[in-house]
Amino acid sequence: MRGKVWAAVTQAFKMPMALIRRMITNLISRVLMSTLPSPKMSAQTITDCNRRKMVVGLGNPGMNGSRHSVGMAVLTTLAERLGAPDSWRSDRQVSGEVIVTQLQDIQLVLLRPKLLMNINGVSVAKAASKYLISPEHIFLIHDELDKPLGKFGIKHGGSARGHNGVRSCVDCLHTDVMPRLRVGIGRPSGKTSVDRYVLGRFSQEEQNVLDSVMKQSVDVLLTYITDSQPQTSPAEGRRASRKNKSRTPSPPQDTTDEQKQS
């Protein structure tokens, strides 16, 4: 028995650290997802849920101003635009802060997860369960290394492309159909590691550019949300079976909705 334990420990040390972190993250997510909030069902609730959408600002709680939490910054700008900057309330059932407001005939739920970026998906899945929102009506806002600062774009589903917060959402919702607003932060220069770079804060010059980007991106996002024609559907992404968790691939759609701060 002791030999088997030692063999398991030895094997674990041979595994890449990224894989070990992923396994630990998945384990934590499963534990946190063990109890999803049960929505109160009624005829009115079923009718309302067809006009309900959610916008999520991905990021790390308590790290306002960091590049990795730019999604939360854009969401804050959206709340201000909707006239509800002080309406945030903490909701333990969804492990996050929530605003429920109205946008034309749409009931809009804004969500700021209070979990670390790598398990943001737990909060998103809990909120989707509580408010009866289907994944194709969940809009993720997040930072994007492959876009320079000053640019942003909408992506209609597809893979996480290395973003841990998006990957967590894909894993917890068992699909990748969620549309995303990708806000460019650029890549680090020199020998600065990606981890250190994304957790760092914007310089004053960068913040000035970002302020303009956030206003423009909110304009695009509001137009997208209120568009009467759905931009994506489960068929355009990958939906996993809850039974076997297998996914069928489909090409991600990165639209020409890309904008550049002028």
Side-chain angles (χ1 to χ4, degrees), residues 54-59 69-85 88 97-99 108-113 139-142 181 183 214-215 217-218 221 225:
M54 179 162 66
V55 183
V56 184
L58 300 183
S69 294
V70 72
M72 290 185 170
V74 174
L75 189 69
T76 298
T77 301
L78 175 60
E80 293 171 353
R81 180 74 62 85
L82 295 172
W88 294 102
E97 294 178 319
V98 173
I99 290 177
L108 196 61
V109 179
L110 309 185
L111 173 66
R112 286 195 306 213
F139 302 86
L140 308 178
I141 311 175
H142 65 88
L181 175 61
V183 182
M214 289 194 294
K215 293 175 183 176
S217 62
V218 165
L221 184 60
I225 292 172

Coordinates of all heavy atoms in Angstrom, one line a residue, residues 54-59 69-85 88 97-99 108-113 139-142 181 183 214-215 217-218 221 225:
M54 N -28.0 38.0 -19.4 CA -27.0 38.2 -18.4 C -25.7 38.7 -19.0 O -25.3 38.2 -20.0 CB -26.8 37.0 -17.5 CG -25.8 37.2 -16.4 SD -25.9 36.0 -15.1 CE -25.4 34.5 -16.0
V55 N -25.1 39.7 -18.4 CA -23.8 40.2 -18.7 C -22.9 40.0 -17.6 O -23.2 40.4 -16.4 CB -23.8 41.7 -19.1 CG1 -22.4 42.1 -19.6 CG2 -24.8 41.9 -20.2
V56 N -21.7 39.3 -17.8 CA -20.8 39.0 -16.7 C -19.4 39.6 -17.0 O -18.9 39.6 -18.1 CB -20.6 37.4 -16.7 CG1 -19.7 37.1 -15.5 CG2 -21.9 36.7 -16.6
G57 N -18.9 40.3 -16.0 CA -17.6 40.9 -16.1 C -16.6 39.9 -15.4 O -16.6 39.8 -14.2
L58 N -15.8 39.2 -16.2 CA -14.8 38.3 -15.6 C -13.7 39.0 -15.0 O -13.2 40.1 -15.5 CB -14.3 37.3 -16.7 CG -15.4 36.5 -17.4 CD1 -14.7 35.5 -18.4 CD2 -16.2 35.7 -16.4
G59 N -13.1 38.5 -13.9 CA -12.0 39.1 -13.2 C -11.8 38.5 -11.9 O -12.4 37.5 -11.5
S69 N -8.8 42.1 -14.8 CA -10.1 42.4 -14.3 C -10.8 43.5 -15.1 O -11.7 44.1 -14.7 CB -10.1 42.9 -12.8 OG -9.7 41.8 -12.0
V70 N -10.3 43.7 -16.3 CA -10.9 44.8 -17.2 C -12.3 44.5 -17.5 O -13.1 45.4 -17.8 CB -10.0 45.0 -18.5 CG1 -10.2 43.8 -19.4 CG2 -10.3 46.3 -19.1
G71 N -12.7 43.2 -17.5 CA -14.1 42.8 -17.8 C -15.0 43.4 -16.7 O -16.1 43.9 -17.0
M72 N -14.6 43.4 -15.5 CA -15.4 44.0 -14.4 C -15.5 45.5 -14.5 O -16.5 46.1 -14.2 CB -14.8 43.6 -13.0 CG -14.9 42.2 -12.7 SD -14.3 41.8 -11.0 CE -14.9 40.1 -10.8
A73 N -14.4 46.1 -15.0 CA -14.4 47.6 -15.2 C -15.4 48.0 -16.3 O -16.1 49.0 -16.1 CB -13.0 48.0 -15.6
V74 N -15.4 47.2 -17.4 CA -16.4 47.5 -18.4 C -17.8 47.3 -17.9 O -18.7 48.1 -18.2 CB -16.2 46.6 -19.7 CG1 -17.3 46.8 -20.7 CG2 -14.8 46.9 -20.3
L75 N -18.0 46.3 -17.1 CA -19.4 46.0 -16.5 C -19.8 47.1 -15.6 O -21.0 47.5 -15.6 CB -19.3 44.7 -15.7 CG -20.7 44.2 -15.3 CD1 -21.6 43.7 -16.5 CD2 -20.6 43.0 -14.3
T76 N -18.9 47.7 -14.9 CA -19.2 48.9 -14.0 C -19.6 50.1 -14.9 O -20.6 50.8 -14.5 CB -17.9 49.2 -13.2 OG1 -17.6 48.2 -12.3 CG2 -18.2 50.5 -12.3
T77 N -18.9 50.3 -16.0 CA -19.3 51.3 -16.9 C -20.7 51.1 -17.5 O -21.5 52.0 -17.7 CB -18.3 51.4 -18.1 OG1 -17.0 51.7 -17.6 CG2 -18.7 52.5 -19.1
L78 N -21.0 49.8 -17.8 CA -22.3 49.4 -18.3 C -23.4 49.8 -17.2 O -24.5 50.3 -17.6 CB -22.4 48.0 -18.6 CG -23.8 47.4 -19.1 CD1 -24.3 48.1 -20.3 CD2 -23.6 45.9 -19.3
A79 N -23.1 49.4 -16.0 CA -24.1 49.7 -14.9 C -24.3 51.2 -14.8 O -25.5 51.7 -14.6 CB -23.6 49.2 -13.6
E80 N -23.3 52.0 -14.9 CA -23.4 53.5 -14.9 C -24.3 54.0 -16.1 O -25.2 54.8 -15.9 CB -22.1 54.1 -14.9 CG -21.2 53.9 -13.7 CD -19.8 54.3 -13.8 OE1 -19.4 54.8 -15.0 OE2 -19.0 54.3 -12.8
R81 N -24.1 53.4 -17.2 CA -24.8 53.8 -18.4 C -26.3 53.4 -18.2 O -27.2 54.2 -18.7 CB -24.3 53.0 -19.7 CG -25.0 53.4 -20.9 CD -24.6 54.7 -21.5 NE -23.2 54.8 -21.8 CZ -22.7 54.4 -22.9 NH1 -23.5 54.0 -23.9 NH2 -21.4 54.5 -23.1
L82 N -26.6 52.4 -17.5 CA -28.0 51.9 -17.3 C -28.6 52.7 -16.1 O -29.8 52.4 -15.8 CB -28.1 50.4 -17.1 CG -27.6 49.6 -18.3 CD1 -27.5 48.1 -17.9 CD2 -28.6 49.7 -19.5
G83 N -27.9 53.6 -15.5 CA -28.4 54.4 -14.4 C -28.5 53.6 -13.1 O -29.3 53.9 -12.2
A84 N -27.7 52.5 -13.0 CA -27.8 51.7 -11.7 C -26.4 51.5 -11.1 O -26.1 50.3 -10.7 CB -28.4 50.4 -12.1
P85 N -25.6 52.5 -11.0 CA -24.2 52.3 -10.5 C -24.1 51.9 -9.0 O -23.2 51.3 -8.6 CB -23.5 53.7 -10.7 CG -24.7 54.6 -10.6 CD -25.8 53.9 -11.3
W88 N -25.7 47.5 -6.9 CA -25.1 46.2 -6.7 C -25.5 45.6 -5.3 O -25.5 46.3 -4.3 CB -23.5 46.3 -6.7 CG -23.0 46.6 -8.1 CD1 -22.5 47.9 -8.5 CD2 -22.9 45.8 -9.2 NE1 -22.1 47.8 -9.8 CE2 -22.3 46.5 -10.3 CE3 -23.2 44.4 -9.4 CZ2 -22.1 46.0 -11.5 CZ3 -22.9 43.9 -10.7 CH2 -22.4 44.7 -11.7
E97 N -21.9 39.5 -7.0 CA -22.7 40.7 -6.8 C -23.5 40.9 -8.1 O -23.1 40.6 -9.2 CB -21.8 41.9 -6.6 CG -21.0 41.9 -5.3 CD -20.0 43.1 -5.2 OE1 -19.4 43.5 -6.2 OE2 -19.9 43.6 -4.1
V98 N -24.8 41.3 -7.8 CA -25.8 41.3 -8.9 C -26.5 42.6 -9.0 O -26.8 43.2 -8.0 CB -26.8 40.1 -8.7 CG1 -27.9 40.2 -9.7 CG2 -26.1 38.8 -8.8
I99 N -26.9 43.0 -10.2 CA -27.8 44.0 -10.5 C -28.9 43.4 -11.4 O -28.5 42.8 -12.4 CB -27.2 45.3 -11.1 CG1 -26.3 46.0 -10.2 CG2 -28.3 46.2 -11.7 CD1 -25.6 47.2 -10.8
L108 N -32.4 42.5 -17.7 CA -30.9 42.3 -17.8 C -30.3 42.1 -16.4 O -30.5 42.8 -15.4 CB -30.3 43.5 -18.4 CG -28.9 43.4 -18.9 CD1 -28.8 42.4 -20.0 CD2 -28.4 44.8 -19.4
V109 N -29.6 41.0 -16.3 CA -28.9 40.6 -15.0 C -27.4 40.9 -15.2 O -26.8 40.4 -16.2 CB -29.1 39.2 -14.7 CG1 -28.3 38.8 -13.4 CG2 -30.5 38.8 -14.5
L110 N -26.8 41.8 -14.4 CA -25.4 42.1 -14.4 C -24.7 41.3 -13.3 O -25.2 41.3 -12.1 CB -25.1 43.6 -14.2 CG -25.8 44.5 -15.2 CD1 -25.3 45.9 -15.0 CD2 -25.7 44.1 -16.6
L111 N -23.6 40.6 -13.6 CA -23.0 39.7 -12.5 C -21.5 40.0 -12.4 O -20.8 40.0 -13.4 CB -23.2 38.3 -12.9 CG -22.4 37.2 -12.1 CD1 -23.0 37.2 -10.6 CD2 -22.5 35.8 -12.7
R112 N -21.1 40.3 -11.2 CA -19.6 40.4 -10.9 C -19.3 39.2 -9.9 O -19.7 39.2 -8.8 CB -19.3 41.7 -10.1 CG -19.3 42.9 -11.0 CD -18.6 44.1 -10.4 NE -19.2 44.5 -9.1 CZ -19.2 45.7 -8.6 NH1 -18.8 46.7 -9.4 NH2 -19.7 46.0 -7.4
P113 N -18.6 38.2 -10.4 CA -18.3 37.0 -9.6 C -17.4 37.4 -8.4 O -16.5 38.3 -8.6 CB -17.5 36.1 -10.6 CG -18.0 36.5 -11.9 CD -18.2 38.0 -11.8
F139 N -23.5 36.9 -21.8 CA -22.5 37.7 -22.5 C -21.3 37.8 -21.5 O -21.4 38.4 -20.4 CB -23.0 39.1 -22.9 CG -24.1 39.0 -23.8 CD1 -25.4 38.9 -23.3 CD2 -24.0 39.0 -25.2 CE1 -26.5 38.9 -24.1 CE2 -25.1 39.0 -26.0 CZ -26.4 38.9 -25.5
L140 N -20.1 37.3 -21.9 CA -18.9 37.4 -21.1 C -18.0 38.6 -21.6 O -17.8 38.7 -22.7 CB -18.1 36.1 -21.2 CG -18.9 34.8 -20.9 CD1 -18.0 33.6 -21.2 CD2 -19.5 34.8 -19.5
I141 N -17.6 39.4 -20.6 CA -16.6 40.5 -20.9 C -15.3 40.1 -20.3 O -15.2 39.8 -19.1 CB -17.1 41.8 -20.4 CG1 -18.6 42.1 -20.7 CG2 -16.2 42.9 -20.9 CD1 -19.1 43.3 -20.1
H142 N -14.3 40.1 -21.1 CA -13.0 39.7 -20.5 C -11.8 40.3 -21.3 O -12.0 40.9 -22.4 CB -12.8 38.1 -20.5 CG -12.8 37.6 -21.9 ND1 -11.6 37.4 -22.6 CD2 -13.7 37.1 -22.7 CE1 -11.8 36.9 -23.8 NE2 -13.1 36.7 -23.9
L181 N -17.4 39.8 -25.2 CA -16.8 41.1 -25.6 C -15.3 41.0 -25.1 O -15.1 40.9 -23.9 CB -17.5 42.2 -24.9 CG -16.9 43.6 -25.1 CD1 -16.9 44.0 -26.5 CD2 -17.7 44.6 -24.2
V183 N -11.8 42.6 -24.7 CA -11.1 43.9 -24.6 C -9.6 43.7 -24.6 O -9.0 43.1 -23.7 CB -11.6 44.6 -23.3 CG1 -11.0 46.0 -23.2 CG2 -13.1 44.7 -23.2
M214 N -13.8 51.7 -23.0 CA -14.9 51.1 -22.2 C -16.2 51.8 -22.7 O -17.2 51.1 -22.8 CB -14.6 51.4 -20.7 CG -13.6 50.5 -20.1 SD -13.5 50.4 -18.3 CE -13.0 52.1 -17.9
K215 N -16.2 53.1 -22.9 CA -17.4 53.8 -23.4 C -17.8 53.2 -24.7 O -19.0 53.0 -25.0 CB -17.1 55.3 -23.5 CG -16.9 55.9 -22.1 CD -16.5 57.4 -22.2 CE -16.2 58.0 -20.9 NZ -15.8 59.5 -21.0
S217 N -17.0 50.3 -26.1 CA -17.4 48.9 -26.1 C -18.8 48.7 -25.5 O -19.5 47.8 -25.9 CB -16.3 48.1 -25.3 OG -16.3 48.6 -23.9
V218 N -19.2 49.6 -24.5 CA -20.5 49.5 -23.9 C -21.5 49.9 -25.0 O -22.6 49.2 -25.1 CB -20.6 50.4 -22.7 CG1 -22.1 50.7 -22.3 CG2 -19.9 49.8 -21.5
L221 N -21.9 46.8 -27.1 CA -22.6 45.7 -26.3 C -24.1 46.0 -26.2 O -24.9 45.0 -26.3 CB -21.9 45.6 -24.9 CG -22.4 44.5 -24.0 CD1 -22.2 43.2 -24.6 CD2 -21.7 44.6 -22.6
I225 N -27.0 43.5 -27.5 CA -28.0 42.9 -26.5 C -29.4 43.1 -27.0 O -30.3 42.3 -26.9 CB -27.8 43.4 -25.1 CG1 -26.5 42.9 -24.5 CG2 -28.9 43.0 -24.2 CD1 -26.1 43.5 -23.2

